[in-house]
Amino acid sequence: DVKVTQSSRYLVKRTGEKVFLECVQDMDHENMFWYRQDPGLGLRLIYFSYDVKMKEKGDIPEGYSVSREKKERFSLILESASTNQTSMYLCASSDRVLTEAFFGQGTRLTVV
Amino acid sequence: AQKITQTQPGMFVQEKEAVTLDCTYDTSDPSYGLFWYKQPSSGEMIFLIYQGSYDQQNATEGRYSLNFQKARKSANLVISASQLGDSAMYFCALSRLAGYSTLTFGKGTMLLVSP
């Protein structure tokens, strides 16, 4: 059974904290993605990676960074969490040619 | 730039009836893919169906079918014989099939199935 696993289902952090969201896939996929989901806005792409140590900005990269040191792991970093980063974060992975993408269960992050 | 438009914020359907969720897209890429995902209240994104731009036939997966009309740039999802468990948020998405690709999502349609 294919799997994308996110490290936390729910997370509460304080303003100004450095936050790490981890994502691991077991399908040997080249592509990995981080999306943010907010009501009425759908899913918006934060960053994606098409290979180890490679990263590309998505539509809303401000306030975020990413790390991909191993093929199976893609981390999203909030350098200094702010309340407007309270959201649902979804990780996904796919083969190089994107004909199917698998998502993790999502992390609901609340910044207080 | 790629864009997905879902014009129906919410839809209601009675159990056992068919329902169509609308999706139109805009892309300048000659080769692309169209996806539908289901998101129940638990939050997970469940892949439902995929259609490639060069596929001759409309995609089908069980009770799901994708009504692909290339000239109209539409990719509507048809759910036949709705079930109570179909109540969820549904997202249409678009990818390019050449180069480095990402999924561009619409804002979603909330489907409620009543007994």
Side-chain angles (χ1 to χ4, degrees):
Chain A
D1 209 17
V2 297
K3 220 168 222 181
V4 178
T5 304
Q6 295 182 227
S7 53
S8 304
R9 194 71 192 267
Y10 298 95
L11 213 50
V12 180
K13 295 291 181 181
R14 295 198 182 278
T15 301
E17 276 193 79
K18 191 168 186 175
V19 182
F20 292 87
L21 302 183
E22 307 284 348
C23 176
V24 177
Q25 51 98 359
D26 64 0
M27 294 162 282
D28 201 35
H29 282 161
E30 287 89 353
N31 299 337
M32 295 189 76
F33 312 88
W34 275 107
Y35 286 89
R36 168 178 173 159
Q37 183 180 11
D38 299 289
L41 297 179
L43 280 76
R44 295 178 292 167
L45 182 66
I46 305 172
Y47 267 97
F48 67 101
S49 168
Y50 50 87
D51 205 346
V52 176
K53 297 192 187 294
M54 304 303 287
K55 60 185 179 184
E56 294 288 339
K57 292 180 180 179
D59 300 317
I60 51 164
E62 297 79 18
Y64 303 94
S65 62
V66 289
S67 172
R68 193 167 181 199
E69 296 297 317
K70 294 185 178 181
K71 190 176 185 180
E72 67 271 18
R73 186 179 295 270
F74 192 35
S75 302
L76 180 69
I77 303 154
L78 286 67
E79 296 291 342
S80 177
S82 64
T83 54
N84 63 14
Q85 292 178 309
T86 291
S87 187
M88 171 73 134
Y89 291 86
L90 289 156
C91 174
S93 72
S94 78
D95 282 327
R96 172 77 69 214
V97 178
L98 209 174
T99 59
E100 193 172 21
F102 297 92
F103 281 80
Q105 76 277 29
T107 297
R108 290 192 184 274
L109 172 67
T110 302
V111 182
V112 297
Chain B
Q2 300 190 312
K3 188 177 179 182
I4 288 281
T5 302
Q6 294 180 254
T7 56
Q8 305 155 316
M11 289 284 286
F12 292 90
V13 67
Q14 277 205 307
E15 205 176 2
K16 297 180 186 155
E17 291 186 350
V19 63
T20 298
L21 305 184
D22 294 341
C23 173
T24 57
Y25 63 92
D26 192 22
T27 181
S28 56
D29 293 299
S31 179
Y32 52 89
L34 292 149
F35 304 73
W36 278 92
Y37 282 85
K38 172 184 177 181
Q39 188 181 44
S41 57
S42 57
E44 61 191 303
M45 291 286 282
I46 302 168
F47 168 77
L48 294 179
I49 197 166
Y50 166 81
Q51 176 88 41
S53 58
Y54 287 108
D55 292 341
Q56 296 296 318
Q57 302 216 330
N58 286 345
T60 60
E61 289 285 349
R63 295 185 299 111
Y64 304 108
S65 61
L66 199 154
N67 184 2
F68 180 47
Q69 298 188 42
K70 196 170 183 178
R72 297 181 64 183
K73 293 193 172 181
S74 75
N76 299 339
L77 177 70
V78 180
I79 306 174
S80 63
S82 298
Q83 301 172 356
L84 296 178
D86 293 335
S87 293
M89 195 74 162
Y90 288 81
F91 290 97
C92 182
L94 171 67
S95 73
R96 64 167 62 92
L97 296 181
Y100 299 114
S101 186
T102 64
L103 280 171
T104 299
F105 285 86
K107 294 184 178 179
T109 296
M110 175 64 78
L111 176 67
L112 290 176
V113 181
S114 61

